[in-house]
Amino acid sequence: MGFRCGIVGLPNVGKSTIFNALTAAGAEVASYRFCTIQPNLGIVPVPDKRLEELAKRIHPQKVTPTTLEFFDIAGLVKGASQGEGLGNQFLDHIRNVDAIAHTLRCFDNRNVAHDFGSLDPVRDVEVVNTELILADLQTLEKRMAKVEKLHRVGAKEAALELEVYHEVQTVLNRGQIAGTLHFTGEKKAVFSDLHLLTSKPVFFVANVDQKELKGEGVFLKALQDWAGREKLRVVVICGDLEAEISELKEGEREEFRKELGLEGSSLERLVRVGYEVLDLVTFYTTVSSELRAWTVTRGTPAPKAAGKIHSDMERGFIRAETVSFDDFIAYGSEHVAKERGLLHSQGKDYLVRDGDIIHFRFHV
């Protein structure tokens, strides 16, 4: 699996429209609050041109791409941390995702109501962030109360935990997200165990109309200017247009996008940004007659990557035989790459690189 992505935002910003365009899942779309109550789930194959190129060369019986899970989560409203709207039910759904795609409406439409009666995507970001920060403070306060009791009876680990909690609390009380903190070692483990909402990597999905898509509007520019200052990524998607494209035949989609001047599909753009913010890489295996793509975090040691395939492979890891995608394509096969000295035997300390084609040797 690539990663789990939660599509979140205020009501009526087009989350379900975009979810349907990306996944063809058929979630209900309507211009009223809480059309989505339970999170919709869509699992889609990650577009991968390298996998397609390898398949052309190897001709495997089976090709398995890595996948991406999308969760379309109910609209968040001001006061959600205090139980407004769907309140904590919404917030609990976010805890299960790897990254948050914060969807913002960047087009004006009198037929679609906005919670605040006017359009301002930057304000909407701040509303959602505030609710997530308040929810994290509640999580933190509950955990602190529990650990303080342990500290009073002399629990050794409690002192370190409280130290981390106080640092996090200070940042949240300033109105900043927990993701701005960077811990190492034991502190990092304590921080990760909190599973805070604002510690998750986030990027923005700007839902635009065709006027904004052509650069003729002001809402997208305002969001992009703000995100640029904050060093955050924005994926621009015209939800209604993508919904129309998704209904076309496969061969017609790319041609239609070219006519409109769109580079690649929305899914490709979103995946690319998601992989960047999560710092993910893809490696490939050819076992028996199957060519398969796998996703791991950059800097993953070879045994851990082997463990993604099967726990026995990590436990009995001997070595990893690797050839880069570029070398494989340049010389046409693993055999020729080996003759050229481009097939490398890697030990336990080897960190998997993006595009590696790997054969794991193991014994249990």
Side-chain angles (χ1 to χ4, degrees):
M1 186 179 70
F3 62 96
R4 292 168 297 174
C5 183
I7 302 176
V8 306
L10 296 174
N12 296 338
V13 297
K15 297 184 307 302
S16 294
T17 299
I18 288 173
F19 172 81
N20 285 337
L22 294 172
T23 66
E28 184 182 357
V29 178
S31 57
Y32 56 81
R33 276 179 158 200
F34 312 128
C35 164
T36 304
I37 296 178
Q38 291 299 321
N40 297 306
L41 170 63
I43 302 175
V44 296
V46 170
D48 189 337
K49 296 189 185 306
R50 291 183 302 196
L51 185 68
E52 293 173 10
E53 191 63 34
L54 288 172
K56 289 177 185 176
R57 304 296 180 95
I58 297 172
H59 305 292
Q61 290 182 18
K62 185 178 181 182
V63 179
T64 305
T66 189
T67 57
L68 172 58
E69 290 186 5
F70 284 108
F71 292 84
D72 173 28
I73 299 170
L76 178 67
V77 299
K78 189 173 182 179
S81 60
Q82 303 300 320
E84 289 295 322
L86 297 178
N88 291 329
Q89 183 179 344
F90 166 94
L91 299 170
D92 284 343
H93 291 150
I94 306 179
R95 297 187 198 280
N96 299 318
V97 302
D98 299 312
I100 293 174
H102 185 166
T103 305
L104 295 149
R105 182 170 144 197
C106 293
F107 66 91
D108 204 5
N109 185 335
R110 293 180 182 178
N111 296 320
V112 182
H114 190 287
D115 259 28
F116 299 109
S118 63
L119 205 59
D120 184 345
V122 176
R123 173 206 58 206
D124 295 350
V125 170
E126 293 169 351
V127 169
V128 171
N129 278 352
T130 297
E131 293 306 321
L132 299 183
I133 287 169
L134 290 172
D136 279 349
L137 281 168
Q138 289 180 10
T139 297
L140 199 57
E141 286 165 6
K142 290 176 184 176
R143 188 71 70 90
M144 286 175 77
K146 182 179 177 181
V147 174
E148 281 168 352
K149 290 179 183 177
L150 294 173
H151 188 247
R152 285 195 291 270
V153 297
K156 292 181 180 179
E157 69 279 1
L160 177 66
E161 291 178 9
L162 285 174
E163 185 181 343
V164 172
Y165 296 168
H166 284 301
E167 287 186 56
V168 176
Q169 188 179 48
T170 299
V171 167
L172 294 175
N173 279 330
R174 288 188 197 133
Q176 297 175 311
I177 62 172
T180 59
L181 287 162
H182 300 285
F183 293 105
T184 57
E186 291 181 342
K187 283 189 172 184
K188 183 177 180 179
V190 171
F191 176 67
S192 297
D193 188 54
L194 285 167
H195 300 292
L196 297 176
L197 302 172
T198 63
S199 68
K200 295 182 181 296
V202 63
F203 59 94
F204 298 100
V205 176
N207 186 16
V208 302
D209 58 12
Q210 292 194 47
K211 180 181 177 182
E212 290 278 347
L213 195 61
K214 294 174 184 176
E216 299 171 2
V218 296
F219 302 113
L220 176 60
K221 186 178 185 308
L223 176 62
Q224 289 176 323
D225 288 348
W226 176 85
R229 291 192 296 272
E230 298 293 323
K231 298 181 180 178
L232 295 167
R233 301 295 304 274
V234 178
V235 181
V236 180
I237 297 178
C238 182
D240 288 341
L241 184 60
E242 286 293 338
E244 290 178 29
I245 292 173
S246 68
E247 294 177 2
L248 298 175
K249 293 179 181 178
E250 187 68 38
E252 298 173 344
R253 294 177 188 175
E254 196 57 36
E255 186 179 337
F256 188 55
R257 288 192 184 97
K258 285 179 181 177
E259 289 177 5
L260 295 170
L262 297 175
E263 245 184 81
S265 70
S266 296
L267 179 60
E268 288 172 324
R269 296 196 299 275
L270 191 147
V271 167
R272 186 164 57 246
V273 171
Y275 270 56
E276 287 173 7
V277 301
L278 287 166
D279 205 15
L280 301 176
V281 298
T282 302
F283 71 92
Y284 306 92
T285 58
T286 53
V287 180
S288 299
S289 58
E290 182 182 14
L291 168 65
R292 185 161 183 170
W294 305 86
T295 300
V296 293
T297 305
R298 190 181 305 278
T300 296
K304 285 285 184 186
K308 288 274 290 187
I309 302 170
H310 198 286
S311 58
D312 283 350
M313 295 177 72
E314 180 178 2
R315 185 161 53 91
F317 178 88
I318 299 172
R319 67 182 182 274
E321 295 172 354
T322 69
V323 60
S324 73
F325 170 82
D326 289 340
D327 287 340
F328 185 95
I329 295 301
Y331 294 102
S333 74
E334 189 176 296
H335 177 71
V336 177
K338 184 176 182 179
E339 288 181 342
R340 299 270 181 164
L342 299 170
L343 182 67
H344 305 287
S345 182
Q346 313 286 5
K348 292 182 178 181
D349 295 333
Y350 178 71
L351 306 181
V352 172
R353 297 176 182 175
D354 189 43
D356 275 348
I357 301 165
I358 307 179
H359 183 68
F360 293 105
R361 300 288 184 183
F362 69 102
H363 177 74
V364 291

